Amino acid sequence: MSKIEIFDPAMCCPTGVCGPSVDPELTRVATAIFSIEKLGKDIKRYNLANEPDPFIQNTEVNKLLNEKGPDCLPIVIVNSVVTKVGEYPKNHSSPRTTVPDPLSHSKADWF
């Protein structure tokens, strides 16, 4: 089974979906993560503001942060391999995917 880890930039809450003006991208990501969790997949999301330890303990994430700074976030790791830097996976069909996109009924680019 795939293990997905998302290392988010510092946000006010774990999902970033709060406050007076919600970023639609964060809403899309939160919805996709919820759908992935409901499928029983192993997915973890870390917020730099609230959970700095995983950013320090993961050598790849730590290296990217030291080289590029916080602008490299979000970082997505699948099965211990960095798959995305500076952006979230998209919700579209892709040969590597297995997770349905809850909004379009296609597949999401998460694996």
Side-chain angles (χ1 to χ4, degrees), residues 1-107:
M1 173 165 52
S2 296
K3 178 180 180 183
I4 304 169
E5 295 176 285
I6 301 170
F7 293 82
D8 285 313
M11 297 187 288
C12 59
C13 66
T15 63
V17 183
C18 55
S21 61
V22 176
D23 181 349
E25 176 69 352
L26 294 176
T27 301
R28 181 191 66 78
V29 170
T31 300
I33 290 170
F34 179 75
S35 295
I36 291 167
E37 288 174 333
K38 285 192 73 142
L39 292 171
K41 302 292 183 181
D42 186 6
I43 185 164
K44 302 245 187 297
R45 189 173 190 185
Y46 307 108
N47 179 337
L48 182 59
N50 300 326
E51 302 169 278
D53 288 346
F55 292 79
I56 296 165
Q57 295 166 351
N58 185 296
T59 56
E60 289 297 317
V61 171
N62 195 329
K63 179 181 171 188
L64 283 165
L65 280 170
N66 282 319
E67 290 174 357
K68 299 181 180 191
D71 288 341
C72 70
L73 298 172
I75 298 170
V76 180
I77 297 179
V78 179
N79 295 330
S80 302
V81 176
V82 174
T83 59
K84 293 275 185 186
V85 175
E87 65 180 349
Y88 293 102
K90 304 295 181 212
N91 291 6
H92 58 76
S93 293
S94 169
R96 303 176 328 153
T97 63
T98 58
V99 177
D101 174 358
L103 302 177
S104 71
H105 304 293
S106 66
K107 295 185 176 182

